[in-house]
């Protein structure tokens, strides 16, 4: 449980858990048998027996053993152990009865040759740029892993004055400008957090900086959070967060082959033409290396919210700190090894359930991603046991162990692009996971799957509390809606409040939308496949070693999931979803949850416009009355805020109209589907095939081949990563991002396009309803 929980929030949490526990006790520890969503009562009984057999084959000792082996050596793209792990995983699948092979792609993967960082003035300091061995962490003594660097930053040799830029987000540049500080020709230093790392150097480049340093401040993931490794789980002074700075908000995957699989003979762009590679050097450093640089800065004292917890006074600069950095990399192609395993369907062979988790890491990667990989392997082994016991899935199962996720979702993207046409014809689900640890269920994805996720979560027991994963998540949502973290992003706060409102009503919990940051991106946002991402998290102390040498087996078994109980919970949750999607006669989708979610998202757009209109008017009033007279303290702030353009009238009428239709269409289909599972509607095999084909294409109806403004690789008009959030999702992105950028004519244009897209979705639901209603 989180340490910063208020007394009131803790009370909410305790009440919900107490009620859940009492409910279980009243029924002897188990709810009365009920029909599973998507199955008739007799089918539900058979499926429940199958899931009990599946659970019986899950063994935490397996997860522990696999994790120790897979994380024993550096596991980055191009490392010998990366290929060895691929072969090991392939052979496990074969041993369990799967048809498995390795699919190879050739991708641009720059690896560091040399780098250096020096403070030249007002004193001299040479940064170590290394992570030393830590007592009690066996693999940290190895020296053959990737050194700390940021993938896809430019090579360079740069000298310049230093400027401190807080988190390096757009609002930080506005704050600097109000103080008369310009980063052009300067080297900027930002701290990790608040936004995706790749945005920090991208914005620095756009503002004219010559290089970007990114450091981990102990306020965010070091000693301010708790004891540091090895005493506690948090980032030690020399720990460094590696990571890609590829501009994945434009397109993920191999930067030289956008839109096509990076096979050996693929046509490639020249490196200078790749839009997603940065033009300035970028370097990640530890807070031990950052402290002397920050201490050497003068100029204005940083605003209070910009100050970390290093024992210095945080100044903005520029100078007198003068810095020299140099980076050189090997910009060659490297092989990726995707492991693809398959069990053909017994009835609907051309309907695919695709399940994936990446395997590559920056160094050892015990938490990120191997904790998720071993849970997926446990599922695959248990499914293999079912297969050997005589069961066969109705639909085809494809399990994928992805390579190259860390540098930019490359292994999954290249496979999805190489098999795009077949996936769009056949895939009914892509189910993703990444890292996994102690804590709460974290479901995200297509909202047509919201009811299925709730049905499964209600049947999985949380290892720590003994209540269902759904009950514990409901408590979590109520707590997070009750509390607002200081400085919390508006989108994050809105989403927590939305989920809390849904949780308070009872019934199904909401699930969150997907932005980017893991392998679901090409399947959902490029191909338009129905997609889920499932993991457990929230009570681990792993964030302090994220992307560092110390994300090791020794760290994970102390601070991640010591007994691997949550690895088993993950396998149970995702395994049940796979089994139910594989075996339901008609795909278990429900559309009322999607319709209600669209209503929430459209309401957020209306509020966003009103808030911007009120803010613009208030700011204009203050500027007109000279409220920003800053002459009293010109050293701190030298310029008032800029006047904002008035917000014109927005035409959301097409969206409002299609939303009403969506609610009606969703209710009609869900009612017909309930009659089908109750046995009131009978389908012939041909009718069932036709209905499933219609349902399979539903998510594709939310895409448009024209794509989003300025990034046509992203085709989904409901969910996309934000151009200025990187990983964080923007819902109804064509409209929302235009409003946030003050491009109101564009917002109106994309409101109409988005309404057209949703109208096509309504047509799909109505066709599916007609297929059900016309059945015998």
């Amino acid at each position: 449980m989180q340490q910063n929980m208020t007394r009131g929030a803790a009370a909410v949490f305790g009440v919900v858990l107490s009620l859940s526990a009492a409910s279980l006790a009243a029924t002897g520890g188990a709810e009365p048998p009920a029909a599973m969503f998507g199955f008739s009562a007799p089918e539900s009984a058979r499926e429940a027996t199958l899931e009990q057999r599946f659970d019986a084959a899950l063994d935490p000792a397996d997860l522990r053993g696999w994790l120790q082996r897979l994380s024993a050596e550096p596991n980055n793209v191009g490392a010998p152990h990366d290929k060895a792990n691929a072969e090991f995983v392939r052979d496990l699948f074969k041993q369990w009865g799967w048809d498995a092979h390795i699919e190879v792609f050739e991708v641009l993967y720059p690896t560091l040759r040399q780098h250096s960082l020096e403070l030249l003035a007002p004193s001299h300091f040479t940064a170590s740029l290394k992570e030393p061995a830590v007592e009690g962490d066996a693999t940290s003594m190895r020296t053959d892993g990737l050194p700390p660097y940021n993938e896809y930053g430019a090579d360079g040799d740069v000298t310049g004055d230093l400027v401190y830029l807080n988190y390096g987000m757009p609002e930080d540049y506005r704050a600097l400008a109000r103080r008369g500080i310009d980063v052009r020709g300067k080297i900027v230093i930002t701290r990790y957090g608040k936004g995706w790392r790749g945005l920090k150097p991208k914005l620095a480049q756009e503002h004219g900086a010559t290089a970007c340093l990114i450091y981990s401040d102990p306020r965010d993931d070091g000693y301010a959070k708790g004891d540091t490794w090895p005493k506690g789980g948090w980032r030690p002074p020399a720990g460094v967060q590696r990571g890609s700075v590829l501009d994945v908000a434009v397109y993920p995957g191999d930067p030289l082959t956008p839109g096509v699989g990076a096979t050996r003979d693929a046509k490639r762009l020249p490196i200078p033409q790749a839009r997603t590679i940065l033009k300035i050097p970028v370097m990640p450093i530890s807070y031990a290396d950052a402290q002397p640089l920050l201490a050497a800065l003068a100029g204005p004292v940083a605003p209070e919210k910009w100050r970390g917890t290093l024992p210095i006074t945080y100044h903005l600069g520029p100078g007198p700190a003068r810095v020299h950095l140099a980076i050189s990399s090997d910009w060659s192609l490297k092989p990726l090894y995707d492991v693809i395993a398959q069990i053909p369907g017994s009835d609907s062979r051309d309907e695919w359930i695709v399940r994936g988790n990446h395997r590559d890491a920056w160094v050892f990667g015990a938490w990120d991603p191997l904790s998720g990989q071993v849970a997926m392997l446990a599922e695959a082994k248990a499914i293999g046991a079912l297969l050997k016991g005589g069961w066969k899935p109705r639909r085809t199962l494809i399990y994928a162990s992805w390579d190259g996720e860390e540098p930019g979702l490359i292994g999954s993207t290249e496979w999805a692009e190489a098999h795009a046409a077949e996936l769009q014809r056949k895939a009914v689900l892509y189910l993703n996971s990444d890292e996994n640890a102690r804590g709460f269920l974290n479901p995200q994805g297509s909202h047509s799957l919201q009811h299925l996720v709730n049905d499964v979560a209600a049947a999985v027991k949380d290892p720590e509390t003994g209540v269902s994963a759904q009950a514990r998540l409901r408590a979590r949502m109520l707590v997070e809606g009750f509390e607002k973290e200081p400085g919390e992003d508006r989108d994050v706060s809105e989403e927590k409040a939305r989920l809390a409102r849904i949780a308070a009503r009872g019934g199904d919990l909401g699930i969150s939308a997907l932005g980017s940051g893991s392998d679901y991106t090409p399947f959902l946002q490029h191909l338009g496949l129905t997609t889920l991402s499932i993991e457990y998290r929230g009570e681990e102390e792993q964030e302090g070693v994220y992307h560092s040498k110390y994300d090791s087996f020794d760290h994970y078994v102390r601070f991640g999931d010591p007994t691997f109980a949550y690895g088993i919970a993950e396998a149970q949750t995702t395994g049940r979803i796979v089994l139910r999607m594989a075996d339901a006669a008609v795909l278990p989708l429900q559309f009322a949850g999607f319709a209600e979610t669209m209503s929430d998202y459209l309401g957020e757009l209306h509020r966003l416009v009103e808030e911007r209109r009120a803010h613009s008017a208030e700011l204009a009033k203050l500027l007109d009355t000279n409220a920003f007279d800053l002459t009293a303290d010109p050293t701190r702030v030298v310029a008032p805020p800029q006047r904002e353009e008035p917000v014109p009238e927005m035409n959301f009428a097409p969206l409002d109209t299609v939303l009403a239709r969506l609610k009606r269409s969703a209710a009609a289909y869900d009612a017909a589907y309930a009659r089908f599972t109750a046995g009131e509607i009978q389908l012939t095999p041909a009718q069932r095939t036709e209905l499933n084909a219609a349902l399979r294409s539903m998510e594709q109806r939310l895409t448009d081949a024209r794509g989003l403004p300025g990034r046509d690789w992203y085709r989904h008009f409901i969910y996309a990563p934000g151009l200025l959030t990187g990983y964080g999702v923007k819902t109804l992105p064509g409209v929302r991002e235009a409003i946030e950028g003050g491009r109101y004519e564009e917002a109106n244009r994309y409101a109409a396009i988005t309404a057209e897209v949703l109208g096509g979705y309504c047509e799909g639901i109505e066709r599916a309803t007609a297929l059900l209603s016309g059945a015998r």
Side-chain angles (χ1 to χ4, degrees), residues 127 210 225 333 541 551 753 756:
T210 58
K225 294 288 189 179
L333 301 183
E541 289 186 14
D551 182 3
I753 296 172
E756 290 175 12

Side-chain angles (χ1 to χ4, degrees), residues 66 95 165 219 255 283 358 430 432 483 510 531 594 717 759 769:
W66 295 328
Q95 176 185 324
L165 196 51
R219 177 175 182 173
M283 184 180 292
H358 79 98
Y430 175 71
N432 191 71
E483 283 188 330
T531 298
F594 177 79
F717 271 62
T769 306

Side-chain angles (χ1 to χ4, degrees), residues 133-138 140 226-237 541 544-545 548-556 558-559:
V134 167
E135 184 179 354
D137 189 341
S140 71
D227 290 324
T228 60
W229 181 241
K231 183 179 180 182
W234 294 94
R235 192 177 302 275
E541 289 186 14
V545 297
S548 80
K549 186 177 187 176
Y550 310 120
D551 182 3
S552 63
F553 177 80
D554 290 327
H555 190 284
Y556 187 78
R558 284 184 61 192
F559 298 107

